[in-house]
């Protein structure tokens, strides 16, 4: 079955009406996933576990639970008891966690069926999809292009209709950027709404768990079950909300768009945003062009790198080949650690560890790291100021379709020649800096390649954001059907 054109609720109806049995559904999902294994989107296919799992509850129809028997895949930095969990890194390529992450546990309790663990740029550090230790994942729309990352396999799975939803993580933009390149929905809720217990950390002050789906309604179904306070995660908040029953919004909205972003837009993207804004206004909403201190915008990439690399050094210090993970031989424990880390990590990770460690040297902490945290606060203050004028902040997740693989420089995505525009590639990081909910939806196609649109709301306004996203999704679908964006 291809899940591209069916909602989770429709699928649920088919299961409840016995048009398809849970076992048939899971088996056919696995058979289909097998056809895609050559793409590297999965690190582990969980065939045996999934079938054993569905057999446990397949006969007990759970009419009220939309997630009953629904297949999904999970990013491989999320702990699954007794199932290989590698974080996309060679150093963890033999790690079988003795416990489940809270998010895994919740979906198990809901009797959803995990059919595989997906590829990611090593330890979540990257945005290309090329650097999972098991191989490259590329864009299904064009094999010469990136699918983006770090949640590359989870993006691929929903983009190809292999599963109706997948789990991702997002420290900078790892759900919302690839969603744009793949023409699907990617949502990172307010910081702390979904437990990170059992999710391998990259940079804990920025890390979020979120999901990929094909539409907003499915996203609401999943969030209904997964927004939960968790005692085991000290950054967890109680932000549980009933999304699905409340997706309708009748309020008039003040949409905001940053003036500096507009300056760098051109061609079809620019014209499409203009058309889209006009339709919002026709519906009685406001579109307000807002100022954002350009110095602060320009600082985003540096601040992200300083904070995430430094946190990444300390969170990954436990990967030493001693306690768990792949161990290389050595004369003493120091040599074992050095050899294990030298062989176990790829270039991106090593580069980030070097830069991060430099800032963690005691003489640099005040000079560099503390300063970047202060600038982070200034950025958050600037966002707060903007939200005094508007309700929903719109960003282009990218101004172009997915970049070509050959344009990846070293281990990162292409660099811009124009320094003035560099901030555009990292705009989505704003919502990791202040923790606001942020979602990417499909928007237009340029030469048959998808480009998404990204919407944000104040922290804890997740319901409002999904309500507006539902409205925007319907509007964009209508405009695309009417050929409004065609040129
Ligand atoms: N692309 C960003 C990076 O390179 C984001 C990573 C993420 O969100 N995990 O770090």
């Amino acid at each position: 079955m291809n899940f591209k054109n069916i909602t989770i609720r429709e699928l649920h109806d088919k299961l409840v009406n016995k048009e398809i049995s849970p076992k048939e559904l899971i088996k056919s999902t696995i058979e289909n996933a097998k056809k895609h294994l050559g793409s590297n989107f999965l690190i582990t296919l969980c065939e045996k576990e999934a079938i054993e799992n569905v057999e446990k509850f397949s006969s007990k129809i759970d009419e009220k639970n939309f997630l009953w028997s629904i297949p999904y895949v999970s990013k491989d930095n999320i702990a699954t008891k007794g199932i290989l969990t590698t974080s996309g890194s060679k150093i963890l390529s033999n790690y079988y966690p003795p416990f489940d992450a809270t998010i895994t546990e919740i979906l198990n309790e809901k009797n959803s069926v995990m059919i595989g663990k997906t590829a990611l740029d090593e330890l979540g550090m990257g945005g290309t999809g090329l650097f999972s230790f098991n191989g490259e994942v590329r864009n299904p729309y064009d094999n010469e292009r990136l699918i983006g990352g770090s949640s590359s396999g989870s993006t691929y799975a929903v983009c190809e209709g292999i599963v109706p939803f997948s789990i991702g993580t997002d420290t900078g933009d790892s759900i919302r950027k690839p969603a744009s390149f793949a023409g699907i929905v990617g949502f990172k809720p307010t910081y702390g709404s979904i437990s990170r217990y059992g999710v391998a950390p990259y940079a804990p002050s920025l890390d979020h768990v979120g999901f990929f789906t094909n539409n907003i309604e499915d996203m609401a179904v999943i969030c209904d079950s997964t927004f939960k306070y968790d005692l085991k995660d000290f950054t967890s908040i109680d932000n549980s909300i009933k999304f699905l029953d409340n997706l309708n919004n009748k309020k008039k909205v003040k949409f905001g768009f940053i003036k500096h972003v507009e300056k760098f837009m051109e061609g079809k993207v620019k014209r499409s945003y203009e058309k889209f804004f006009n339709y919002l206004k026709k519906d009685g909403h406001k579109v307000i062009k807002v100022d954002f201190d350009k110095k602060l915008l320009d600082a985003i990439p540096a601040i992200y790198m300083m904070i995430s690399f430094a946190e990444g050094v300390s969170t990954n210090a436990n990967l030493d080949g001693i306690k768990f993970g792949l161990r290389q031989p050595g004369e003493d424990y120091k040599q074992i650690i050095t050899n294990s880390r030298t062989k176990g990590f790829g270039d991106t990770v090593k580069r980030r560890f070097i830069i991060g460690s430099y800032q963690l040297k005691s003489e640099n902490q005040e000079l560099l790291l503390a300063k970047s945290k202060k600038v982070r606060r200034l950025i958050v203050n600037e966002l707060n100021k903007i939200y005094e004028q508007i309700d929903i902040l719109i960003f282009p997740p990218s101004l172009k379709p997915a970049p070509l693989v050959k344009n990846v420089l070293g281990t990162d995505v292409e660099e811009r020649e124009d320094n003035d525009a560099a901030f555009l590639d990292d705009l989505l990081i704003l919502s990791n800096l202040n923790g606001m909910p942020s979602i990417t939806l499909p928007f237009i196609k340029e030469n048959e390649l998808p480009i998404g649109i990204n919407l944000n709301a104040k922290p804890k306004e997740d319901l409002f954001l999904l309500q507006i996203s539902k409205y925007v999704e319907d509007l964009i679908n209508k405009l695309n059907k009417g050929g409004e964006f065609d040129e």
Side-chain angles (χ1 to χ4, degrees), residues 463-474:
L463 175 62
F464 178 56
L465 181 62
L466 284 205
Q467 288 171 339
I468 302 310
S469 301
K470 176 77 186 112
Y471 156 73
V472 168
E473 175 184 58
D474 290 343

Side-chain angles (χ1 to χ4, degrees), residues 75 124-127 149-150 169-174 202 304 308 352 412:
K75 192 171 174 177
M125 297 184 182
S150 61
T169 58
D170 188 311
T171 305
D173 50 24
S174 278
Y202 163 13
Y304 171 70
S308 73
R352 292 189 183 196
D412 280 316

Side-chain angles (χ1 to χ4, degrees), residues 75 77 120-121 123-128 149-151 169-178 202-203 206-208 304-305 308-309 348 352 411-413 425-426 429 432:
K75 192 171 174 177
N77 56 355
L120 63 148
D121 286 314
L123 305 180
M125 297 184 182
T128 63
S150 61
S151 311
T169 58
D170 188 311
T171 305
D173 50 24
S174 278
I175 290 176
R176 296 158 295 140
K177 187 70 98 51
Y202 163 13
L206 303 163
D207 289 343
H208 298 66
Y304 171 70
M305 286 193 263
S308 73
F309 294 5
T348 302
R352 292 189 183 196
T411 56
D412 280 316
V413 188
D425 294 327
D426 288 323
I429 292 173
N432 299 78

Side-chain angles (χ1 to χ4, degrees), residues 271-332:
R271 289 189 290 278
S272 302
Y273 271 95
E274 277 165 7
K275 281 182 198 162
F276 173 63
F277 291 157
N278 284 337
Y279 279 100
L280 292 178
K281 290 184 208 157
K282 262 192 209 159
D283 274 356
H285 305 291
K286 287 206 168 95
V287 179
I288 301 169
K289 305 290 165 69
V290 292
D291 289 309
F292 198 117
D293 186 341
K294 180 70 174 21
K295 265 201 225 131
L296 291 176
L297 287 178
D298 289 338
I300 300 170
I303 297 308
Y304 171 70
M305 286 193 263
M306 314 253 295
I307 293 176
S308 73
F309 294 5
E311 290 186 25
V313 170
S314 72
T315 54
N316 289 296
N318 60 348
L319 303 181
D320 53 14
I322 302 276
K323 297 180 271 295
F324 52 86
L326 215 59
R327 179 184 298 184
Q328 299 297 335
E331 301 275 298
D332 54 21

Side-chain angles (χ1 to χ4, degrees), residues 67-138:
L67 291 179
W68 172 69
S69 298
I70 302 293
Y72 74 97
V73 289
S74 185
K75 192 171 174 177
D76 208 27
N77 56 355
I78 298 174
T80 42
K81 190 174 174 178
I83 296 173
L84 187 66
T85 300
T86 69
S87 281
S89 180
K90 195 168 151 194
I91 204 162
L92 284 171
S93 58
N94 64 354
Y95 177 59
Y96 290 81
F99 69 107
D100 275 326
T102 297
I103 182 69
T104 311
E105 214 172 78
I106 291 175
L107 290 169
N108 276 342
E109 278 163 15
K110 283 272 148 191
N111 290 338
S112 302
V113 185
M114 192 189 70
I115 65 130
K117 301 291 299 286
T118 60
L120 63 148
D121 286 314
E122 186 177 3
L123 305 180
M125 297 184 182
T128 63
L130 302 178
F131 299 106
S132 192
F133 84 106
N134 66 315
E136 299 180 352
V137 186
R138 296 199 178 195

